[in-house]
Amino acid sequence: MYEYSDNKKQANSWIRRDRKILLMHMQTPLQLLKSQFGYSEFRDNQEDIINHILEGKDVFVLMPTGGGKSLCYQIPALIFEGLTIVISPLIALMKDQVDALKLNGIKAAYLNSTISVEEKSNIFKLLNKNEIKLLYISPERLFSQNGEFLDYLKTLNVSLFAIDEAHCISQWGHDFRPEYRKLTQLKSNFLKTPVVALTATADSRTQTDILERLDLNSPRTFVSSFNRENIHYYIEPKQNSYDRLLDFLEEHPGDSGIIYCLSRKSTETLVDKLGQDYITAKSYHAGLTREERMKHQELFIKDDVRIMVATIAFGMGIDKSNVRFVVHMDLPKNIESYYQETGRAGRDGLKSDALLFYSYADVMKLKGFVEIEDNQEQSAIMLEKLNQMADFCNSKKCRRKYLLNYFGEEYPDQCGSCDICLDKHEKFDGTIIAQKALSAVVRLKEKFGINYVIDFLRGSDSKKIKSWHKELKTYGIGADLGKQEWHSHIRTLIDYDLLKLSEGEYPVLNLTDKSLGILQGTEKVMLIATKIRAKAKKAEIEYELELFEELKLIRRELAEEAVVPAYVIVADSTLIELAGYLPQNREELSKISGFGEVKIHKYGDIFLKTVDSYCTKKNLSSNIHLKKTKRTKQGTGIRPKSGDTHKETLGLFRSGKSIDEIMTIRNLKQFTIEGHLAQLILTDDVQVEELISSEKMATIQKAIDIHSDIALNPIKEALGDGYSYAEIRAVVNHLKKDKEVVAIDA
Ligand code: ADP
Ligand code: ZN
């Protein structure tokens, strides 16, 4: 324990001299950022906020989800001599944050109903000895036992209070929690202790309310930009939304994501439907038991299940950093919720997609939901917020600009990465595409639905396409475009009244009066470039996909050992940097974002060894010199190497080499080669029959049916040792490919 001493005055200019602040750490915030968290620079306001807190002042922080609020109080907590109390509304968040801190060698704990009596008494012992730096608690706990706990805290040396999700205190906000109201008494109990209040969403009315209610002492407010550059926003009309969802998921193979639905029932229905399409998902809603919810959440967090279909009950406090997409099947109640829910994507800074299906019917439906009993005033606020949400969807203004303006921020440009911007910038002469689609409808005698027409256009070899259709000249004329692109173009053609859908349970595509002009070539049509596919960011260097996969496996083992989610060990972006910059020693490793001293000490050697043996095998050397010290604000700027590795395997396979031979030639592991071949089934380059006998295939298929699941683990367990993961994956991919052809037969 040190008192701030004269000889540090120079270096530690962030300490006000007129204040006697007892300091624990001699390191500056920046040094701590590096040594404890492994990051090389602060983001936006972080450093200013930290300095302010260190001066003992009250601070209000408005920063978007994923912006890095936690560090703003965690670093002061390490510098202050005493204890920092973090008040947070959700238990899941506490555990994750505390686990992550502990992995960085920081003494942290949480108190809530999930911990045992022994753990609790142990925590109190540590608290009494000033051996905990950060304690996470709920507001209820703070004021529990008639203020006894508060009195107890007064006997400790509390240096700082951090109030997370501070908007919960205000009824102007969208997530008012009555238990937060008690926090109005906090300041009067701890007159001299600085308070930092943090939130990711608050309009100006809510902001003022938070400051008043917390009675902060001439607080300084720090507002960070709410722009989440790496999230791309898409809003589409709610038509055939399930099919659209499948297309969307197809574009995100292997990615982790959240799909929000309005009701418990629609959540369950969607999970079932996806299951029938061989996509494993779990549900999360208030109708499940606590155990079920915990279990599903854990499966998702540990990447055992990649898709969570949830009501809004899910998410607050979910710190999973590699969520690649968020889909809203139904309309959120307000822009704050939309922003917060979509904000759960891409916390690691990598490109992520937010897709919302909008219909006016949803607005009508929600009108009933936003009424708050016995509170006319609040009902009116909620209704106004709902109308703004609808306006956001209907507006033709850049989505990002609209969102930022809503939160009081200027955004001068067009973002180029939302559906509106993309529409505007990417229209093209689509006459030929339209002619192809319309001729297909003519050839199919206006008797088939969209999916059939698309499969026909793309020349699908599915049995569902009638054999005489396969003889037609138009069959396969649209093979150059993907399913998703065809969907989008056909929808546009319907919007332009060049095609129409018949009424009834199985709508079929019909021509309209306007179709003839296109077919005869007298009219032109401008189409909108396909949505959902945004331009890739320019990358600095490429990373080794195979190494990345190996590193993921190792991370998984480490996570299982430590009983924490994988991303708590290190983020995906960190693994990508490892696989791109190929560090060869601890010093080089320390330049990788996310490796602080403790993590280097704990896990450095394991990861280095893997990188090293990969490099030896492939004759590669370190790329660390390419790493810019100034990391771009968001994203790693590294992209995967092109799919050449699959092609190389395919080439050898086609030349008659066995898997063993390919392994030797390519110097790769068996599971890697088998993985390539299984992947090649999806692209139709390899047929399942080439890899596995028909008996084995039948058995695996049966196991899949019984488990109505294509997660590999349960099937492998059921089948036992005679069947490898690769064989199971091959069959799963085969089934998946088959499933893609969903046709509506008239
Ligand atoms: P918030 O609470 O604002 O939603 P977090 O505090 O959870 O965000 O931070 C989001 C992610 O960004 C975390 O993985 C965190 O470790 C990381 N992070 C925060 N600050 C920095 C920084 N200065 N450099 C790199 N990564 C950072
Ligand atoms: Zn835009």
Side-chain angles (χ1 to χ4, degrees):
M1 214 177 297
Y2 308 98
E3 180 152 6
Y4 169 59
S5 65
D6 276 349
N7 59 1
K8 283 276 160 186
K9 214 175 278 175
Q10 229 42 34
N12 299 329
S13 57
W14 33 272
I15 299 299
R16 274 195 14 195
R17 242 172 286 162
D18 55 342
R19 242 172 234 275
K20 273 262 157 97
I21 295 178
L22 289 172
L23 300 172
M24 176 77 184
H25 245 287
M26 303 302 269
Q27 283 185 327
T28 63
L30 188 62
Q31 285 165 340
L32 283 169
L33 181 72
K34 182 74 209 149
S35 66
Q36 303 286 314
F37 298 94
Y39 300 132
S40 54
E41 56 177 15
F42 282 112
R43 288 182 185 161
D44 301 328
N45 288 329
Q46 280 178 331
E47 194 165 20
D48 281 350
I49 295 167
I50 291 170
N51 289 342
H52 242 73
I53 296 175
L54 287 173
E55 289 185 19
K57 291 178 183 165
D58 289 350
V59 177
F60 180 45
V61 176
L62 232 105
M63 202 185 267
T65 311
K69 284 185 286 299
S70 325
L71 283 183
C72 296
Y73 55 82
Q74 286 167 349
I75 287 186
L78 295 178
I79 293 174
F80 283 136
E81 189 227 13
L83 171 69
T84 291
I85 304 277
V86 186
I87 296 154
S88 157
L90 268 180
I91 290 171
L93 180 85
M94 293 182 194
K95 184 172 174 349
D96 269 10
Q97 290 225 349
V98 168
D99 283 347
L101 285 169
K102 282 184 176 164
L103 273 184
N104 279 323
I106 295 165
K107 291 171 184 153
Y110 61 94
L111 283 174
N112 65 32
S113 52
T114 66
I115 64 170
S116 68
V117 180
E118 294 87 68
E119 278 176 290
K120 206 171 2 188
S121 86
N122 189 33
I123 290 171
F124 279 112
K125 264 186 221 148
L126 292 171
L127 283 172
N128 292 336
K129 290 193 278 184
N130 195 16
E131 279 181 9
I132 288 180
K133 297 299 324 170
L134 287 122
L135 179 70
Y136 287 72
I137 55 172
S138 64
E140 295 93 315
R141 158 103 22 197
L142 187 62
F143 299 99
S144 63
Q145 299 151 322
N146 284 327
E148 249 177 60
F149 188 74
L150 215 56
D151 289 338
Y152 167 69
L153 284 187
K154 286 179 191 161
T155 69
L156 302 175
N157 178 8
V158 179
S159 304
L160 172 69
F161 283 100
I163 302 176
D164 213 357
E165 314 285 356
H167 61 277
C168 294
I169 201 173
S170 169
Q171 75 161 351
W172 294 106
H174 63 102
D175 190 19
F176 170 55
R177 288 169 183 250
E179 66 273 19
Y180 255 64
R181 270 294 154 86
K182 287 205 167 162
L183 289 171
T184 49
Q185 306 161 28
L186 182 64
K187 209 60 198 180
S188 55
N189 275 284
F190 288 85
L191 284 173
K192 295 222 169 85
T193 316
V195 172
V196 48
L198 311 100
T199 173
T201 59
D203 54 29
S204 58
R205 201 161 45 178
T206 316
Q207 282 174 39
T208 322
D209 199 31
I210 295 173
L211 294 179
E212 274 170 16
R213 300 214 174 256
L214 287 176
D215 196 18
L216 297 187
N217 198 355
S218 33
R220 168 103 186 257
T221 300
F222 289 89
V223 184
S224 296
S225 171
F226 272 58
N227 186 11
R228 296 286 309 276
E229 224 174 296
N230 61 319
I231 301 182
H232 295 196
Y233 300 96
Y234 305 93
I235 299 180
E236 296 190 13
K238 195 166 171 175
Q239 287 163 10
N240 297 327
S241 50
Y242 180 70
D243 287 344
R244 275 293 301 122
L245 176 68
L246 287 185
D247 289 337
F248 179 82
L249 295 179
E250 218 169 83
E251 295 203 344
H252 288 83
D255 285 348
S256 184
I258 306 172
I259 303 174
Y260 283 108
C261 299
L262 184 62
S263 69
R264 298 172 190 183
K265 190 160 166 281
S266 50
T267 309
E268 291 299 343
T269 314
L270 185 58
V271 169
D272 287 348
K273 262 173 118 174
L274 287 171
Q276 284 162 23
D277 280 308
Y278 296 103
I279 296 170
T280 317
K282 288 283 178 223
S283 61
Y284 190 102
H285 53 75
L288 298 173
T289 63
R290 203 180 115 80
E291 287 72 41
E292 284 168 321
R293 282 204 304 268
M294 298 286 269
K295 193 174 146 227
H296 292 182
Q297 178 169 319
E298 185 149 323
L299 285 170
F300 179 65
I301 285 178
K302 290 197 168 158
D303 282 333
D304 286 336
V305 163
R306 72 179 181 101
I307 296 170
M308 186 67 115
V309 182
T311 62
I312 51 165
F314 178 72
M316 193 170 181
I318 297 302
D319 209 2
K320 186 171 161 59
S321 65
N322 64 343
V323 174
R324 284 277 75 79
F325 60 85
V326 169
V327 178
H328 283 94
M329 298 303 287
D330 305 298
L331 192 71
K333 288 183 195 138
N334 47 56
I335 293 181
E336 284 87 347
S337 305
Y338 171 76
Y339 180 81
Q340 202 168 48
E341 283 148 23
T342 53
R344 294 188 179 122
R347 275 167 177 258
D348 53 10
L350 301 179
K351 179 188 170 287
S352 307
D353 288 330
L355 170 64
L356 160 71
F357 294 111
Y358 169 74
S359 74
Y360 185 66
D362 274 1
V363 183
M364 301 306 289
K365 190 154 62 175
L366 281 175
K367 283 201 166 138
F369 281 86
V370 298
E371 296 271 322
I372 290 164
E373 241 176 82
D374 299 333
N375 194 337
Q376 267 194 350
E377 192 190 15
Q378 240 210 316
S379 299
I381 295 171
M382 292 302 147
L383 192 62
E384 188 190 319
K385 284 184 186 287
L386 173 62
N387 287 331
Q388 276 166 322
M389 182 70 213
D391 183 57
F392 169 61
C393 295
N394 287 319
S395 156
K396 291 284 171 276
K397 186 162 141 183
C398 163
R399 306 289 182 199
R400 192 177 307 278
K401 196 183 180 83
Y402 194 112
L403 281 176
L404 292 174
N405 291 169
Y406 180 83
F407 292 115
E409 199 177 316
E410 289 295 318
Y411 187 78
D413 310 316
Q414 300 290 313
C415 75
S417 51
C418 72
D419 58 315
I420 299 287
C421 289
L422 291 173
D423 278 0
K424 227 178 212 151
H425 298 308
E426 293 187 32
K427 280 202 173 167
F428 64 99
D429 183 346
T431 313
I432 293 180
I433 291 178
Q435 283 170 338
K436 287 180 181 175
L438 300 189
S439 341
V441 172
V442 174
R443 292 285 164 233
L444 296 173
K445 303 198 161 57
E446 301 179 84
K447 279 189 177 154
F448 292 85
I450 293 183
N451 285 313
Y452 192 95
V453 172
I454 290 177
D455 285 337
F456 173 80
L457 276 163
R458 299 190 64 224
S460 157
D461 58 4
S462 158
K463 290 190 208 80
K464 293 192 176 143
I465 302 287
K466 309 202 181 308
S467 57
W468 62 93
H469 283 160
K470 292 184 182 168
E471 307 296 320
L472 296 172
K473 253 203 304 199
T474 7
Y475 171 70
I477 47 163
D480 52 331
L481 297 184
K483 258 174 134 171
Q484 131 96 33
E485 283 169 297
W486 273 118
H487 264 286
S488 154
H489 295 324
I490 289 185
R491 201 168 42 235
T492 311
L493 294 174
I494 295 172
D495 284 346
Y496 291 172
D497 210 18
L498 290 167
L499 278 175
K500 64 173 188 257
L501 275 173
S502 64
E503 304 278 315
E505 200 179 346
Y506 298 109
V508 299
L509 279 172
N510 292 149
L511 298 184
T512 70
D513 301 343
K514 286 179 159 185
S515 306
L516 202 62
I518 298 291
L519 283 167
Q520 292 177 334
T522 53
E523 299 283 335
K524 277 190 175 313
V525 57
M526 296 304 282
L527 288 177
I528 297 158
T530 330
K531 297 167 181 179
I532 318 297
R533 202 171 287 151
K535 278 172 246 142
K537 264 196 186 157
K538 236 183 138 228
E540 280 172 34
I541 64 163
E542 293 179 324
Y543 69 88
E544 302 287 325
L545 253 179
E546 280 164 40
L547 176 58
F548 176 59
E549 293 299 331
E550 276 183 43
L551 294 169
K552 271 215 289 211
L553 285 178
I554 288 173
R555 177 178 66 172
R556 204 188 163 103
E557 281 167 20
L558 294 173
E560 266 161 24
E561 233 166 70
V563 206
V564 293
Y567 62 81
V568 168
I569 302 284
V570 286
D572 280 16
S573 47
T574 300
L575 294 186
I576 288 178
E577 286 204 9
L578 283 177
Y581 296 115
L582 308 174
Q584 303 291 311
N585 51 46
R586 284 187 169 209
E587 215 241 285
E588 292 189 354
L589 186 64
S590 72
K591 301 207 171 92
I592 300 291
S593 185
F595 268 104
E597 282 167 13
V598 174
K599 277 201 184 147
I600 292 180
H601 181 73
K602 264 196 196 146
Y603 304 125
D605 290 344
I606 302 178
F607 283 115
L608 279 173
K609 210 174 105 200
T610 314
V611 174
D612 181 60
S613 63
Y614 185 88
C615 288
T616 315
K617 202 166 64 185
K618 296 260 170 154
N619 213 358
L620 296 171
S621 55
S622 166
N623 282 328
I624 203 81
H625 59 284
L626 296 174
K627 183 154 168 60
K628 302 202 178 80
T629 34
K630 280 253 170 218
R631 193 170 156 258
T632 43
K633 203 164 63 188
Q634 303 254 299
T636 57
I638 315 179
R639 66 193 140 88
K641 272 204 168 146
S642 56
D644 287 349
T645 182
H646 291 87
K647 284 195 201 127
E648 213 174 315
T649 300
L650 179 64
L652 291 167
F653 187 68
R654 284 282 163 256
S655 71
K657 298 271 183 296
S658 70
I659 291 181
D660 277 347
E661 285 167 327
I662 303 178
M663 275 163 59
T664 323
I665 296 169
R666 300 213 53 201
N667 199 7
L668 290 175
K669 292 205 178 87
Q670 182 173 349
F671 83 92
T672 311
I673 299 295
E674 290 178 337
H676 289 170
L677 293 172
Q679 183 69 26
L680 287 161
I681 290 181
L682 279 178
T683 47
D684 238 3
D685 288 305
V686 169
Q687 299 306 314
V688 70
E689 296 82 7
E690 297 180 84
L691 302 178
I692 178 171
S693 73
S694 53
E695 294 90 50
K696 269 193 152 179
M697 186 168 148
T699 317
I700 296 176
Q701 211 160 344
K702 211 182 267 164
I704 294 173
D705 284 345
I706 291 170
H707 290 264
S708 61
D709 197 341
I710 54 164
L712 299 185
N713 275 329
I715 299 168
K716 171 88 174 94
E717 254 166 47
L719 290 167
D721 284 343
Y723 295 79
S724 72
Y725 275 105
E727 288 171 328
I728 300 170
R729 171 165 299 136
V731 177
V732 165
N733 283 357
H734 171 71
L735 291 173
K736 263 193 198 162
K737 192 191 64 182
D738 221 32
K739 258 286 170 187
E740 271 176 28
V741 193
V742 202
I744 301 172
D745 280 2

